[in-house]
Amino acid sequence: VYRMATGLAVAVVLLAVGVWIKTRTEERTGGGPPEPEPPAVAVLPFENLSGDVTLDDVSRFATYSLEGALREVESIRVVSTSVARGILSADEPSEGLFGADLMHELLEQTLATVVVEGSLYRRADTLLFEARLIDTERAEVIEALNASAAVDDPAAGIHALREAVLVTVGTRFNLGEQYAASYGQAASFEAWKHLNNARELWQGGESERQAIDEMYRAIEVDSTFDAARGLAMIWHVNLGEFRQADSIAVELEGRIEELSPRQRWQLAVQQAAMRRDRDGLVKAFRDWKDRLPNDSRY
């Protein structure tokens, strides 16, 4: 069953890729009306400049929170840190801000007109967070935002910075009624650490069961952490454990309106995969192909 489901998913994804490429090719060659591209924001990995390696997880959580908050705004497209990191690795950053060449490269490759980069510092028992919004065409800082928090409560500073970034991006792109300052719910730092541990176990080839257990610990810490539930559902499907995955899907479907747009898309994809519903899987990808970040568009 697992192999059948995996084979179906791969086949339908390849079909979706072909449809997307054909559509884009027609648009660019005059075969159809061009679709307007939504405003795009690229998120660079948050830097830990404190000199304290124990704060590396805090900087990763800051990246996760900023990128996740921006993803919740349906009218903008987010270029994820994984994509930005690949471009970043091909260019040597200057001290402080990244150079104009990198900004122009991000604009050319991703069409992102704004880049969000951030840094973390430490002063005694206080953590200082800074986010800079950069205009990629001019390679100039649009806004510099700051927040602070006690070392033992980093999430407070990150969440404050997150709200400030959302307000600034919302103003920049004139999002109006589509934007609210508290858009989307932030995960707690403790819950995120379990999710991060799960990802590292999974990617490192460790016990998949141990990774899923970590995911459930994240949910125990923060019962509102739907991103963790969604990943647990996906991993159960990957393991062929459809009963457990279906249990999570039913729970999420019961409060569909409370889920973020991305989680609703993940739910639709996984439900179609579990049902071996080719048409449903194609529809899910077609419905969301232009709302997904570059690295997940297919």
Side-chain angles (χ1 to χ4, degrees):
V1 172
Y2 170 62
R3 289 177 179 173
M4 289 174 62
T6 302
L8 169 63
V10 170
V12 176
V13 168
L14 290 174
L15 173 61
V17 171
V19 170
W20 183 82
I21 291 174
K22 182 176 184 294
T23 301
R24 289 297 178 183
T25 301
E26 288 177 351
E27 289 170 2
R28 289 170 181 160
T29 57
E35 297 179 8
E37 290 285 351
V41 179
V43 182
L44 298 185
F46 214 84
E47 290 188 279
N48 174 16
L49 300 179
S50 68
D52 182 353
V53 295
T54 65
L55 295 176
D56 283 349
D57 271 354
V58 176
S59 64
R60 282 191 281 268
F61 178 57
T63 303
Y64 173 88
S65 296
L66 292 178
E67 183 180 331
L70 290 167
R71 284 181 189 276
E72 298 304 307
V73 185
E74 294 186 56
S75 53
I76 64 174
R77 181 169 55 86
V78 179
V79 179
S80 73
T81 54
S82 60
V83 170
R85 189 181 287 112
I87 298 171
L88 191 103
S89 64
D91 189 81
E92 290 296 326
S94 59
E95 291 188 15
L97 298 177
F98 290 102
D101 288 345
L102 175 59
M103 293 300 110
H104 295 153
E105 193 69 20
L106 282 166
L107 175 60
E108 181 179 340
Q109 292 195 33
T110 70
L111 302 182
T113 57
V114 171
V115 164
V116 178
E117 65 169 12
S119 304
L120 159 66
Y121 307 86
R122 178 171 182 169
R123 183 181 299 155
D125 293 330
T126 301
L127 295 179
L128 306 174
F129 301 94
E130 181 179 282
R132 292 172 293 276
L133 275 68
I134 303 171
D135 182 308
T136 54
E137 187 172 5
R138 295 179 297 161
E140 294 179 357
V141 175
I142 303 165
E143 192 88 31
L145 306 166
N146 300 277
S148 62
V151 172
D152 58 359
D153 187 20
I158 292 170
H159 292 167
L161 190 67
R162 168 185 176 276
E163 295 297 312
V165 168
L166 281 171
V167 169
T168 305
V169 170
T171 303
R172 173 78 176 180
F173 292 128
N174 299 312
L175 299 184
E177 295 301 319
Q178 300 180 63
Y179 169 78
S182 58
Y183 216 93
Q185 180 168 344
S188 74
F189 182 45
E190 292 303 316
W192 174 85
K193 284 196 287 188
H194 286 294
L195 179 144
N196 193 51
N197 289 342
R199 283 174 169 166
E200 289 181 352
L201 286 168
W202 191 278
Q203 293 170 358
E206 303 292 334
S207 166
E208 294 176 341
R209 182 62 51 208
Q210 189 178 352
I212 290 181
D213 288 345
E214 277 290 293
M215 196 66 70
Y216 280 110
R217 291 189 187 99
I219 297 168
E220 288 176 8
V221 171
D222 183 353
S223 62
T224 67
F225 199 3
D226 288 323
R229 278 192 174 83
L231 280 175
M233 175 183 66
I234 292 169
W235 290 357
H236 279 308
V237 170
N238 289 343
L239 292 173
E241 298 172 350
F242 296 105
R243 187 180 301 276
Q244 295 92 323
D246 185 62
S247 176
I248 297 174
V250 169
E251 179 183 357
L252 294 176
E253 192 172 39
R255 49 193 188 82
I256 192 76
E257 296 304 322
E258 301 172 29
L259 300 181
S260 71
R262 186 173 184 82
Q263 287 155 6
R264 289 200 299 271
W265 176 78
Q266 287 177 329
L267 178 61
V269 168
Q270 294 306 315
Q271 285 178 318
M274 286 188 286
R275 294 167 180 158
R276 294 194 285 277
D277 177 2
R278 293 174 181 268
D279 292 340
L281 199 54
V282 171
K283 183 179 185 303
F285 278 102
R286 285 170 63 96
D287 286 349
W288 289 93
K289 69 180 178 63
D290 290 323
R291 299 191 185 187
L292 297 174
N294 285 353
D295 61 325
S296 302
R297 185 183 293 270
Y298 298 160

